[in-house]
mmCIF file of all heavy atoms in Angstrom:
data_model
loop_
_atom_site.group_PDB
_atom_site.id
_atom_site.type_symbol
_atom_site.label_atom_id
_atom_site.label_comp_id
_atom_site.label_asym_id
_atom_site.label_seq_id
_atom_site.Cartn_x
_atom_site.Cartn_y
_atom_site.Cartn_z
ATOM 1 N N GLY A 590 39.035 12.243 82.540
ATOM 2 C CA GLY A 590 38.144 12.035 83.628
ATOM 3 C C GLY A 590 37.655 10.698 83.839
ATOM 4 O O GLY A 590 38.143 9.786 83.239
ATOM 5 N N ALA A 591 36.672 10.509 84.723
ATOM 6 C CA ALA A 591 36.130 9.188 84.937
ATOM 7 C C ALA A 591 34.867 8.883 84.140
ATOM 8 O O ALA A 591 34.314 9.770 83.548
ATOM 9 C CB ALA A 591 35.721 9.053 86.367
ATOM 10 N N LEU A 592 34.541 7.575 84.102
ATOM 11 C CA LEU A 592 33.297 7.130 83.462
ATOM 12 C C LEU A 592 32.419 6.705 84.547
ATOM 13 O O LEU A 592 32.832 5.920 85.459
ATOM 14 C CB LEU A 592 33.584 6.043 82.452
ATOM 15 C CG LEU A 592 34.511 6.332 81.314
ATOM 16 C CD1 LEU A 592 34.721 5.188 80.511
ATOM 17 C CD2 LEU A 592 33.946 7.490 80.459
ATOM 18 N N TYR A 593 31.159 7.082 84.552
ATOM 19 C CA TYR A 593 30.061 6.787 85.547
ATOM 20 C C TYR A 593 28.975 6.055 84.978
ATOM 21 O O TYR A 593 28.573 6.348 83.786
ATOM 22 C CB TYR A 593 29.638 8.079 86.329
ATOM 23 C CG TYR A 593 30.750 8.898 86.877
ATOM 24 C CD1 TYR A 593 31.356 9.915 86.151
ATOM 25 C CD2 TYR A 593 31.143 8.774 88.208
ATOM 26 C CE1 TYR A 593 32.368 10.673 86.622
ATOM 27 C CE2 TYR A 593 32.203 9.476 88.735
ATOM 28 C CZ TYR A 593 32.802 10.479 87.936
ATOM 29 O OH TYR A 593 33.795 11.230 88.460
ATOM 30 N N ASN A 594 28.289 5.157 85.724
ATOM 31 C CA ASN A 594 27.045 4.630 85.249
ATOM 32 C C ASN A 594 25.899 5.652 85.613
ATOM 33 O O ASN A 594 26.117 6.578 86.378
ATOM 34 C CB ASN A 594 26.778 3.219 85.750
ATOM 35 C CG ASN A 594 26.607 3.144 87.376
ATOM 36 O OD1 ASN A 594 26.417 4.184 87.906
ATOM 37 N ND2 ASN A 594 26.581 2.000 87.891
ATOM 38 N N TRP A 595 24.797 5.371 85.056
ATOM 39 C CA TRP A 595 23.635 6.248 85.202
ATOM 40 C C TRP A 595 23.196 6.437 86.635
ATOM 41 O O TRP A 595 22.817 7.433 87.161
ATOM 42 C CB TRP A 595 22.471 5.868 84.321
ATOM 43 C CG TRP A 595 21.191 6.761 84.427
ATOM 44 C CD1 TRP A 595 21.000 8.025 83.833
ATOM 45 C CD2 TRP A 595 20.143 6.619 85.349
ATOM 46 N NE1 TRP A 595 19.845 8.473 84.263
ATOM 47 C CE2 TRP A 595 19.268 7.662 85.200
ATOM 48 C CE3 TRP A 595 19.795 5.545 86.256
ATOM 49 C CZ2 TRP A 595 18.035 7.757 85.802
ATOM 50 C CZ3 TRP A 595 18.540 5.656 86.927
ATOM 51 C CH2 TRP A 595 17.715 6.778 86.683
ATOM 52 N N TYR A 596 23.360 5.288 87.374
ATOM 53 C CA TYR A 596 22.905 5.240 88.709
ATOM 54 C C TYR A 596 23.724 6.313 89.665
ATOM 55 O O TYR A 596 23.254 6.725 90.605
ATOM 56 C CB TYR A 596 22.998 3.857 89.404
ATOM 57 C CG TYR A 596 22.181 2.879 88.609
ATOM 58 C CD1 TYR A 596 22.756 2.000 87.679
ATOM 59 C CD2 TYR A 596 20.785 2.858 88.673
ATOM 60 C CE1 TYR A 596 22.039 1.087 86.989
ATOM 61 C CE2 TYR A 596 20.014 1.944 88.051
ATOM 62 C CZ TYR A 596 20.629 1.028 87.146
ATOM 63 O OH TYR A 596 19.935 0.153 86.499
ATOM 64 N N ALA A 597 24.953 6.494 89.267
ATOM 65 C CA ALA A 597 25.705 7.558 90.052
ATOM 66 C C ALA A 597 25.392 8.913 89.704
ATOM 67 O O ALA A 597 25.625 9.823 90.593
ATOM 68 C CB ALA A 597 27.212 7.279 89.647
ATOM 69 N N VAL A 598 24.804 9.203 88.558
ATOM 70 C CA VAL A 598 24.605 10.615 88.147
ATOM 71 C C VAL A 598 23.114 11.010 88.347
ATOM 72 O O VAL A 598 22.860 12.212 88.312
ATOM 73 C CB VAL A 598 24.941 10.917 86.735
ATOM 74 C CG1 VAL A 598 26.455 10.443 86.386
ATOM 75 C CG2 VAL A 598 24.029 10.176 85.694
ATOM 76 N N ASP A 599 22.295 10.060 88.630
ATOM 77 C CA ASP A 599 20.832 10.493 88.759
ATOM 78 C C ASP A 599 20.607 11.162 90.144
ATOM 79 O O ASP A 599 20.338 10.374 91.085
ATOM 80 C CB ASP A 599 19.906 9.266 88.579
ATOM 81 C CG ASP A 599 18.427 9.607 88.665
ATOM 82 O OD1 ASP A 599 18.138 10.864 88.439
ATOM 83 O OD2 ASP A 599 17.599 8.843 89.152
ATOM 84 N N ASN A 600 20.699 12.418 90.150
ATOM 85 C CA ASN A 600 20.493 13.156 91.373
ATOM 86 C C ASN A 600 19.201 13.905 91.320
ATOM 87 O O ASN A 600 19.154 14.991 91.994
ATOM 88 C CB ASN A 600 21.762 14.070 91.658
ATOM 89 C CG ASN A 600 21.991 15.106 90.473
ATOM 90 O OD1 ASN A 600 21.548 14.818 89.375
ATOM 91 N ND2 ASN A 600 22.691 16.122 90.848
ATOM 92 N N ASN A 601 18.307 13.498 90.560
ATOM 93 C CA ASN A 601 16.994 14.229 90.417
ATOM 94 C C ASN A 601 16.207 14.109 91.749
ATOM 95 O O ASN A 601 15.988 13.026 92.355
ATOM 96 C CB ASN A 601 16.213 13.623 89.354
ATOM 97 C CG ASN A 601 14.996 14.389 89.031
ATOM 98 O OD1 ASN A 601 14.128 14.655 89.975
ATOM 99 N ND2 ASN A 601 14.812 14.813 87.739
ATOM 100 N N ALA A 602 15.933 15.322 92.313
ATOM 101 C CA ALA A 602 15.416 15.270 93.631
ATOM 102 C C ALA A 602 14.033 14.701 93.651
ATOM 103 O O ALA A 602 13.666 14.146 94.786
ATOM 104 C CB ALA A 602 15.328 16.817 94.110
ATOM 105 N N SER A 603 13.387 14.595 92.573
ATOM 106 C CA SER A 603 12.020 13.952 92.638
ATOM 107 C C SER A 603 12.047 12.489 92.640
ATOM 108 O O SER A 603 11.073 11.811 92.967
ATOM 109 C CB SER A 603 11.206 14.523 91.465
ATOM 110 O OG SER A 603 11.764 13.978 90.209
ATOM 111 N N THR A 604 13.167 11.858 92.269
ATOM 112 C CA THR A 604 13.190 10.410 92.234
ATOM 113 C C THR A 604 14.002 9.861 93.371
ATOM 114 O O THR A 604 13.512 8.867 93.876
ATOM 115 C CB THR A 604 13.922 9.930 90.902
ATOM 116 O OG1 THR A 604 15.194 10.549 90.781
ATOM 117 C CG2 THR A 604 13.049 10.383 89.587
#
Side-chain angles (χ1 to χ4, degrees):
L592 300 175
Y593 303 91
N594 66 11
W595 179 83
Y596 300 104
V598 306
D599 180 26
N600 58 336
N601 189 300
S603 65
T604 58

